[in-house]
Amino acid sequence: MKGRKLLMIPGPIEFEPEVLQAMGMATTSHVAPDFIEVFGNSLELMREVWKSPMGQPFIVAGTGTLAMDMAISNLIEHGDRVLIISSGYFGKRFEDISKRYGANTTILEAPLGEVVSLDSIEKELKTNQYKALTITHVDTSTGILVNPKPIADLAKKYNTLSVLDGVCSVAGEEINQDEWGIDVVLTGSQKAIGVPPGLALLIASQKAMEVWENRKTPVCNYYADWNNWLPIMNAYEERRPSYFGTPAVNLIVALESSLKIICKEGMDKRVKRHRGLAMAFRTAIASLNLKLLPKTNEIAANTLTAVYYPKGIDGTALLSKIANDNVIVAGGLLAEIKTSYFRIGHMGSVSSNDLISVLAVLERALLDLGHQMIAGKSLQTFQNELLKPD
Ligand SMILES: *Cc1c(COP(=O)(O)O)cnc(C)c1O
């Protein structure tokens, strides 16, 4: 009995042992040659993961929310119009942030379990000149996956900047930042990128950097201002010492380690692994007479799954039974339905064995609570899905 727990929430996730070891190394000076090299490498590796050879990467201590804040505060000036395309809790966060910087916001909210239609987005873009639009790639509150490409195409057509919240998608879902022409793709370290919480990461396009350079008013956020951070990123990339705010040395060492693991696997293979496991997992969940929050498979995320509690089953009791079996899953997050569903994260280092453990523990808990199902059904389904040829 090791009392090992399996952390299956949508971030923080289970981290690779090498990443945790890297994190535990003796802290060096932030201007030590070795660390400068690590920082520079990390910036370069980010471009590979984001598929943005032309973009400007930023690595700053903070959370995913800081990355959202950084994108909006640098690109938006008082009175600018921002179109928020929302499929849950994190979409609305963009509205709050944009308003804080004086933006004139319009929010298009998807019906529960669905995505916002392209028609309604185009109609808005035709009606008003928007400075930027925001997309939540995977909304972690609903497990909804949005296809960013056609939205980025519309943004280009109507001369609007596109900002993609990739906190629950970067290094898990398909992203081609430069090819798709997305102006900012942002994330936080603790999700699919596989590093303990504490880093805000983003890549801005050349167009985004030009828009920022041509601002008429100063950025209304001192810490997030690219004026402070761009020279630092440039210095590290040119392998020169520099200072604005002390970088999170150990986290950045861990980041380099994780980015190397990701690039070694290769982004295409990594996306395919996430997709294969997620599809098999959704089929297995459905075989237990459980309902998923996303209405169709095409808009279901591959980094997490949101599942309704079955009728007559007490959600709190279910989650505590699962936790007692040393598997940690997450409850609901979207206020309207918070107590009627739960979420399982499956991103980063996730393997089929992890998901088999989740299914086994979930089955026992459901059977214990009297849910009508056949014991072993989801395990059998999962195995059969995995054994199917591609
Ligand atoms: C987790 C998450 C965030 C917020 O990230 P923090 O690191 O918690 O600040 C934002 N957007 C999405 C889609 C997320 O999953």
Side-chain angles (χ1 to χ4, degrees), residues 63-65 68 90 93 136 138-140 165 167-168 190-191:
T63 74
T65 305
M68 298 170 82
F90 288 107
R93 181 166 292 185
T136 312
V138 168
D139 202 301
T140 319
D165 174 350
V167 180
C168 203
Q190 76 277 21
K191 309 236 174 139

Side-chain angles (χ1 to χ4, degrees), residues 197-211:
L199 291 178
L201 306 168
L202 66 83
I203 294 190
S205 70
Q206 290 307 315
K207 188 166 102 202
M209 296 311 291
E210 276 161 33
V211 167

Side-chain angles (χ1 to χ4, degrees), residues 279-288 359 378-379 381-382 385:
M279 270 168 38
F281 187 68
R282 287 195 293 269
T283 312
I285 290 285
S287 77
L288 297 176
L359 290 169
S378 75
L379 296 167
T381 308
F382 188 74
E385 287 297 312

Side-chain angles (χ1 to χ4, degrees), residues 13-16 18-20 22 42 45 49 171 189 191-196 251-265 270 348-349:
I13 61 165
E14 286 283 335
F15 301 119
E16 298 282 1
E18 295 99 300
V19 173
L20 294 175
S42 300
L45 289 166
V49 173
S189 53
K191 309 236 174 139
I193 214 144
V195 178
L251 280 170
I252 293 170
V253 175
L255 174 67
E256 189 207 23
S257 163
S258 193
L259 290 170
K260 278 181 174 166
I261 292 171
I262 294 167
C263 291
K264 193 169 168 210
E265 181 178 17
R270 190 172 170 94
S349 66

